[in-house]
Amino acid sequence: MPREAEISINEREFIKQALQEQIRLDGRAFDVFRSLELTFGEEYGVADVQLGKTRVIARISVDVVTPAPERKFDGIFQIVTEFSPMASPAFEIGRPTDAEVILSRILEKAIRRSNALDTESLCIIAGQKCFALRADVHIIDHDGGLIDASCIAVIAALQHFRRPDVQVEGEKAIILSVREREPIPLSILHQPLCVTFSYFEEGEIYLVDANVAEEQVRQGQVIITMNKHGEICQIAKYGGATVNPLALLNCTNIALEKVKQMSKFIQQKLDEDNKKRNPKGLMNELSAENARENAVIPG
Amino acid sequence: MPLDTSTYSLALLRLDGRRWNELRRIHAQISTQAAADGSSYLEMGNTKILCSVTGPHEGRSGGVRGGSGGVAKLEVEINSAAFSGTDRRRNARGDKRTSEMEHCLREAFGGVIVAHLYPHSTITINLNIISQDGSLLAASINAATLALIDAGIPMTDYLVACTAASSASTSAADNASADDPLLDLNTLEEQELPFLTVGCLGESDKVAVCVMETRVRMERLEGMLAVGIEGCKRMRGILDEVVKGYGKRFG
């Protein structure tokens, strides 16, 4: 099994010493994210996130299945993560590493368990048919901050996705294609986003959004998931060096500020994408006053 | 909410008759298995865990024996009995929840054990969950601490953990009067209330483990943490008694 190239002792000491002098190797302040890029694909529900050199693509797809017998009124939503060897030679297909298990558990807790997506709205006919939503997360390039980037990708993709409309007549449901009926957005209740804090020097120094070199030097991490309304969806600190509880509370305040910024950024990108897709806007199209451009008047 | 919060706010007693800051009955033993280098049996209410520690010994795997970089490698295996929960489950091993717990224990004890004393060796912690009734991660940490002490593996301090919840639901954010944080939850309370597991290093306030899986207002975190840390201190006292009581037999 190939292992991740370990950072040399010199480099390790260099990073630590620089941090003590309040300097990060890439010149960022301690509480600043790397440059965040978000692009959407041609199709609905494809989000490509670039956080510095880290790149993650999330894709939402939908299928119609029979719901689980114990959850008749709920649709199905699952998040599938895959680390491909393309991102880092340390990743192997079919053998989940600790990092992969933790990533998928955190996404599961952050997005699924916190009820970010209203699964009841995915039900078509109770006990018989429902939509099964699947979010595939692909790690394309790995330079640290995978959890933060993946969470942004999934949330952005969910907000971007449109599912086909259905027409229910008694026991029969007809899935209307995109051409027949405008597809409808998912009902998303809140937007949880993750912020990972890495700490050094026995919890004295906190870094937001560490890159892969800083991740290898750090003594521990705290992953905080919040939404912009100030609710904590999940906290995960699995051991590592100890921290002061007050510092932990301080982290939640920083996380809230970051999450607010990121939510705003995602919304802005979604609006831009929406404008690109409907250049004149829906209201314009629906308006009776304006003549439709391509309208062919029969007869 | 099935947990009747109205009765709680009237009598200030929980479903099992405890007050908000009371731990459940804790019964702990060490040196329960002769074959292991260290072992313990811990009951926190109806959560029952058997733990054994083997090592420091030569690693099992052929290639990399023991840890790299001059420190001992820590292996954690969690096994939960099919009859431990309310519904009978086969093959809990290999599911992500269990591997997350294993990861958590590995990370947490990695920071507490003085691992550099045992280069090229492996320490294996084996946990058998016999009965589950809430605070599973906390009980696992406590049981593992006792077993490690029994095995004579040097640690900087006891790593103790317990759970704490906020009794006000997220919907009732405004009535701040009846929202005592609760200590040491059982399954029913865990299902109903937002809760966190907090692990501390001995008597200090230093938080080594903090895991929360449910959604809660950020203002409530402070109270929950404070009660959790207070519970950890009490837990340390209890575990310390157990270890010292065992030592007296030889004294």
Side-chain angles (χ1 to χ4, degrees):
Chain A
M1 190 175 89
R3 287 201 301 173
E4 189 126 15
E6 269 181 39
I7 192 163
S8 70
I9 294 171
N10 281 340
E11 223 171 334
R12 191 179 283 268
E13 290 306 319
F14 183 62
I15 292 174
K16 278 192 200 166
Q17 204 171 345
L19 284 177
Q20 274 176 347
E21 292 166 22
Q22 310 286 313
I23 298 167
R24 268 172 104 161
L25 291 198
D26 46 10
R28 278 182 289 159
F30 284 2
D31 59 346
V32 173
F33 266 84
R34 287 172 283 179
S35 69
L36 180 62
E37 286 288 323
L38 172 62
T39 45
F40 295 103
E42 278 290 296
E43 280 178 77
Y44 281 124
V46 180
D48 178 345
V49 170
Q50 276 170 281
L51 187 63
K53 282 182 192 159
T54 297
R55 188 169 179 197
V56 177
I57 294 179
R59 191 185 196 290
I60 313 285
S61 49
V62 76
D63 197 8
V64 178
V65 295
T66 318
E70 68 271 13
R71 298 187 154 272
K72 285 183 183 162
F73 302 100
D74 280 344
I76 295 169
F77 174 45
Q78 60 172 351
I79 304 173
V80 183
T81 49
E82 193 158 296
F83 281 23
S84 78
M86 182 159 63
S88 160
F91 300 153
E92 256 181 294
I93 289 176
R95 197 189 300 176
T97 55
D98 252 10
E100 189 169 349
V101 171
I102 295 307
L103 173 71
S104 69
R105 271 296 289 172
I106 298 277
L107 288 181
E108 169 107 10
K109 289 195 282 190
I111 300 169
R112 244 169 61 109
R113 268 200 69 160
S114 73
N115 279 327
L117 183 74
D118 177 21
T119 45
E120 275 184 30
S121 71
L122 297 175
C123 178
I124 304 169
I125 302 170
Q128 289 183 17
K129 286 277 172 279
C130 72
F131 284 112
L133 211 65
R134 180 186 158 112
D136 283 279
V137 180
H138 294 277
I139 312 290
I140 304 297
D141 209 345
H142 173 32
D143 189 29
L146 287 183
I147 291 174
D148 301 7
S150 315
C151 196
I152 296 170
V154 174
I155 289 296
L158 282 175
Q159 282 177 276
H160 188 248
F161 186 69
R162 303 282 185 274
R163 69 168 171 83
D165 203 357
V166 278
Q167 203 168 26
V168 181
E169 288 164 8
E171 294 283 274
K172 223 171 90 184
I174 303 163
I175 310 289
L176 299 163
S177 76
V178 182
R179 261 180 280 170
E180 284 173 290
R181 188 84 64 86
E182 187 69 15
I184 42 183
L186 300 170
S187 88
I188 290 167
L189 304 175
H190 65 112
Q191 292 119 26
L193 291 168
C194 298
V195 180
T196 304
F197 294 87
S198 306
Y199 48 94
F200 300 82
E201 302 294 322
E202 310 301 330
E204 296 291 314
I205 297 174
Y206 280 88
L207 296 187
V208 166
D209 184 30
N211 63 24
V212 90
E214 288 165 337
E215 274 185 2
Q216 286 184 342
V217 179
R218 74 178 167 204
Q219 291 177 315
Q221 59 171 344
V222 183
I223 305 153
I224 298 180
T225 310
M226 293 187 78
N227 58 28
K228 62 182 175 191
H229 314 297
E231 285 173 321
I232 304 173
C233 303
Q234 181 269 125
I235 298 181
K237 176 185 180 332
Y238 304 109
T242 53
V243 286
N244 200 329
L246 289 177
L248 211 57
L249 292 175
N250 189 27
C251 281
T252 59
N253 290 330
I254 300 173
L256 178 62
E257 186 192 318
K258 295 289 158 206
V259 164
K260 277 183 179 164
Q261 284 172 8
M262 283 194 281
S263 306
K264 212 173 180 183
F265 176 77
I266 293 173
Q267 194 54 51
Q268 179 199 335
K269 287 287 174 185
L270 280 167
D271 290 345
E272 273 174 27
D273 182 74
N274 193 27
K275 239 176 230 164
K276 225 184 289 166
R277 279 169 204 271
N278 311 308
K280 300 220 161 162
L282 189 62
M283 286 319 290
N284 198 356
E285 199 175 313
L286 290 176
S287 155
E289 284 175 21
N290 298 324
R292 302 210 172 175
E293 275 169 36
N294 306 329
V296 180
I297 301 156
Chain B
M1 268 172 75
L3 176 76
D4 201 338
T5 42
S6 63
T7 43
Y8 175 72
S9 61
L10 285 175
L12 294 178
L13 288 175
R14 285 148 73 175
L15 287 174
D16 48 9
R18 283 182 290 155
R19 296 204 183 277
W20 64 276
N21 62 349
E22 281 178 332
L23 292 167
R24 289 177 288 178
R25 192 184 75 95
I26 292 163
H27 169 77
Q29 279 173 278
I30 54 175
S31 292
T32 48
Q33 284 116 297
D37 292 322
S39 55
S40 69
Y41 172 70
L42 181 86
E43 284 180 16
M44 277 170 76
N46 288 326
T47 301
K48 295 170 190 171
I49 292 180
L50 201 57
C51 177
S52 65
V53 169
T54 328
H57 61 101
E58 201 176 353
R60 270 177 302 181
S61 52
V64 197
R65 296 202 166 203
S68 57
V71 292
K73 181 178 161 196
L74 203 58
E75 277 178 359
V76 180
E77 272 175 44
I78 297 178
N79 236 313
S80 67
F83 51 82
S84 63
T86 40
D87 47 343
R88 198 177 172 85
R89 272 184 69 198
R90 280 258 137 241
N91 198 14
R93 260 203 73 77
D95 82 348
K96 284 189 174 155
R97 237 183 89 80
T98 314
S99 24
E100 188 195 19
M101 264 175 66
E102 286 174 354
H103 173 79
C104 182
L105 283 158
R106 212 162 29 233
E107 292 273 299
F109 282 103
V112 184
I113 289 173
V114 189
H116 66 83
L117 295 179
Y118 306 107
H120 310 295
S121 30
T122 305
I123 297 166
T124 313
I125 302 174
N126 238 302
L127 287 150
N128 282 290
I129 298 162
I130 297 166
S131 163
Q132 316 187 19
D133 186 28
S135 307
L136 198 59
L137 178 61
S140 309
I141 290 175
N142 294 337
T145 300
L146 282 180
L148 284 166
I149 291 170
D150 186 38
I153 291 164
M155 297 196 285
T156 48
D157 205 337
Y158 286 68
L159 181 67
V160 282
C162 67
T163 50
S166 174
S167 65
S169 60
T170 41
S171 54
D174 42 13
N175 70 335
S177 53
D179 65 335
D180 280 328
L182 306 180
L183 184 65
D184 193 17
L185 314 191
N186 57 29
T187 303
L188 276 174
E189 290 169 325
E190 263 186 8
Q191 282 167 354
E192 297 307 325
L193 299 170
F195 73 99
L196 57 76
T197 303
V198 56
C200 287
L201 204 56
E203 298 267 88
S204 71
D205 278 346
K206 297 268 182 189
V207 177
V209 177
C210 178
V211 179
M212 184 166 78
E213 308 195 329
T214 33
R215 189 146 59 106
V216 68
R217 293 283 319 162
M218 63 186 292
E219 296 82 42
R220 305 215 175 282
L221 182 67
E222 192 176 351
M224 287 159 72
L225 262 179
V227 169
I229 290 169
E230 209 49 50
C232 283
K233 285 181 188 168
R234 235 182 295 162
M235 187 73 76
R236 185 195 185 272
I238 294 167
L239 298 190
D240 202 34
E241 292 275 290
V242 173
V243 174
K244 284 183 178 154
Y246 182 77
K248 270 192 197 122
R249 282 199 270 159
F250 297 101

